[in-house]
Amino acid sequence: MMSEPNGELICSVDDIQVKQALRVLIDDYPVVVVRDSDGEIHALGDTCSHADISLSEGEVEGCAIECWGHGSQFDLRSGAPLQLPAYEPVPVFALEIHNNDVYVDITTVTNGAPAPQLG
């Protein structure tokens, strides 16, 4: 028997196009769910670590998302900044795809960045 996926049901895999970012709130915490150029889906904190700007409005290229504010880029797999001015990573969250649905668990940060303070 399959175990239930962890986290919050966000959307269907088909709801996110390649090189598209989707902003969602989980417990009032902004998360960006991104499909990279290879079609892989990632979930990160939606706020640039350099300035209070939503990453979901930025361009997705390869396996990175660019903040439109000052051009910082973040690796979608590791959350690491690839381009200044940002030098702090953004959190990357555990993500499961179950029956073509995307689930994100913001209580599980996979890259060592600070976990969101909820509640």
Side-chain angles (χ1 to χ4, degrees):
M1 186 172 132
M2 291 287 290
S3 62
E4 283 302 300
N6 291 318
E8 197 86 20
L9 173 60
I10 301 301
C11 61
S12 163
V13 167
D14 305 328
D15 292 339
I16 309 176
Q17 303 305 311
V18 169
K19 293 174 67 170
Q20 184 187 11
L22 177 71
R23 183 181 198 266
V24 295
L25 290 175
I26 301 175
D27 296 334
D28 292 329
Y29 184 83
V31 173
V32 60
V33 180
V34 184
R35 196 161 194 174
D36 67 22
S37 294
D38 294 332
E40 293 289 312
I41 298 178
H42 310 269
L44 296 89
D46 185 41
T47 306
C48 179
S49 64
H50 166 253
D52 191 13
I53 293 174
S54 170
L55 293 175
S56 63
E57 296 170 27
E59 294 287 313
V60 178
E61 197 55 60
C63 198
I65 191 163
E66 182 174 326
C67 176
W68 59 268
H70 304 101
S72 290
Q73 293 179 354
F74 296 91
D75 187 306
L76 296 171
R77 295 161 299 212
S78 69
L82 303 172
Q83 188 84 34
L84 291 170
Y87 57 90
E88 293 286 324
V90 293
V92 176
F93 300 114
L95 179 144
E96 284 184 52
I97 295 175
H98 184 77
N99 296 337
N100 216 39
D101 289 328
V102 178
Y103 292 81
V104 175
D105 180 4
I106 63 169
T107 64
T108 305
V109 178
T110 62
N111 67 334
Q117 300 301 307
L118 304 174

